[in-house]
Amino acid sequence: RGASAPSAVKQLVGELIAAEPGSAPLSDAELARRLGDQGFRIARRTVTKYRQALRIDPFERRFAGRA
């Protein structure tokens, strides 16, 4: 997907989290699976790294904040 793939994937991670259902935040593993469905082969730990770079809380904190 070219040299800009990491920044594109990071942007997609942010978009997927922004659009996640309020009652069911997505885990990093689920985010990796959904990115795979879009043609990006990416490890869960890479999703974690990108999510942290975007300063987005992990699944557990996002879920607790909505409960």
Side-chain angles (χ1 to χ4, degrees), residues 5-15 42 49-51 53-54:
S7 61
V9 172
K10 191 184 294 187
Q11 181 179 348
L12 280 172
V13 167
E15 290 173 7
I42 185 167
K49 180 175 82 171
Y50 290 164
R51 179 185 46 72
L54 293 168

Side-chain angles (χ1 to χ4, degrees), residues 1 9 32 35-44 46:
R1 290 224 182 208
V9 172
L35 289 166
D37 291 346
Q38 295 183 33
F40 293 96
R41 293 187 67 194
I42 185 167
R44 185 235 8 112
T46 304

